[in-house]
Amino acid sequence: MKMQDLAGKVAVVTGASSGIGEASARLLVEEGVRVVLAARRLDRIEAMARELGTESAFAIACDVGDMGQVTALFDQVRGRFGGLDLLFNNAGLGINGPFADSRPEDWRTQIDANLYGVLNCTHAAIPLMRGREGAMISSVSSVGGRYGIEGWSVYNATKFAVVGFHDALRKELGPDGIRVSVIEPGAVWTEWGHNVPDDTMRQRRESLDALHAEDIAQALVYSFAQPPRVLVEEILVRPVRQVQP
Ligand code: NDP
């Protein structure tokens, strides 16, 4: 299959310290992309950067819900690279439980990472992407951004919001040639779902033959490596055995 050569492109991957973000950063580096790894756990992303090579990967600590930290992150990207070709808004988390029993601080944690994180990073990235051929903003929503699931209502709210935001942003940035794309994974083997007991999470993923983080990384690289005129607007990718929701 004919794909675009990504060598020399510059990417920011949020939530690069584990799961989908880590796998995506690794695959992008394999494709020759220079990747800025962003996450709160600096020790993890620094170790990855050392392993991947400091010519290819750069670790910057960032809580995406904090506008000041996000501004500092993109200032560093501008200073080092002068521009940006790919923003992968991947950082996020889900906190499980019935809404009636939920705590406002847990709403805020999810909204900060899953929604403000996307808004903060996208707002800071756009000026760095203008005029770069094939530039793309890709954000991770979820199958839970298309369907509500009992026990995940606030998570669903954030992920539905990402889909709506992207549909409007696509219309705003398309005329400038900036591609706006969204990926909606089903169940994936990662650290996600941290307040669900390990056994429950493992059993669910085993029963569904859940996706691997690398499967989502491939969806990202597939969409990014299309010709600049091609927008892969949306990829909903789920384990074949996950028939619900
Ligand atoms: P992981 O828990 O393995 O990874 C989540 C990543 O997000 C970590 O690197 C974490 O890094 C980062 N993160 C969380 N909060 C913040 C924050 N405030 N600022 C910066 N980074 C943050 O899970 P996944 O890889 O599965 O999650 C990636 C995305 O995929 C998320 O948006 C998730 O909602 C989505 N998703 C996952 C599915 C699944 O089944 N696994 C299904 C559908 C969607 P650190 O803690 O170091 O900051």
Side-chain angles (χ1 to χ4, degrees), residues 14 20 86-91 114-115 117-119 121-122 136-142 158-159 161-163 165-166 169 179-185 216 220 223 232-235:
T14 69
I20 294 168
L86 172 67
L87 168 63
F88 188 40
N89 280 316
N90 161 76
N114 301 358
L115 182 54
V118 170
L119 302 182
C121 291
T122 302
M136 188 172 95
I137 297 164
S138 173
S139 299
V140 180
S141 173
S142 171
T158 63
K159 294 300 189 178
V162 168
V163 172
F165 172 63
H166 269 58
L169 192 69
R179 301 179 292 172
V180 177
S181 176
V182 69
I183 300 180
E184 296 150 338
I216 310 302
L220 171 71
S223 53
V232 179
E233 181 179 335
E234 184 175 10
I235 299 181

Side-chain angles (χ1 to χ4, degrees), residues 123-135:
H123 195 260
I126 289 170
L128 301 185
M129 303 182 100
R130 292 200 189 278
R132 311 264 298 195
E133 195 178 39

Side-chain angles (χ1 to χ4, degrees), residues 86-108:
L86 172 67
L87 168 63
F88 188 40
N89 280 316
N90 161 76
L93 76 163
I95 299 176
N96 181 252
F99 183 69
D101 303 334
S102 65
R103 303 180 313 165
E105 56 266 40
D106 288 341
W107 310 344
R108 189 172 300 280

Side-chain angles (χ1 to χ4, degrees), residues 15 17-18 20 40-41 63-64 90 155 159 185-186 188 190-191:
S17 59
S18 68
I20 294 168
R40 293 166 303 178
R41 287 172 292 179
D63 181 333
V64 294
N90 161 76
Y155 180 74
K159 294 300 189 178
V188 189
T190 67
E191 295 176 11

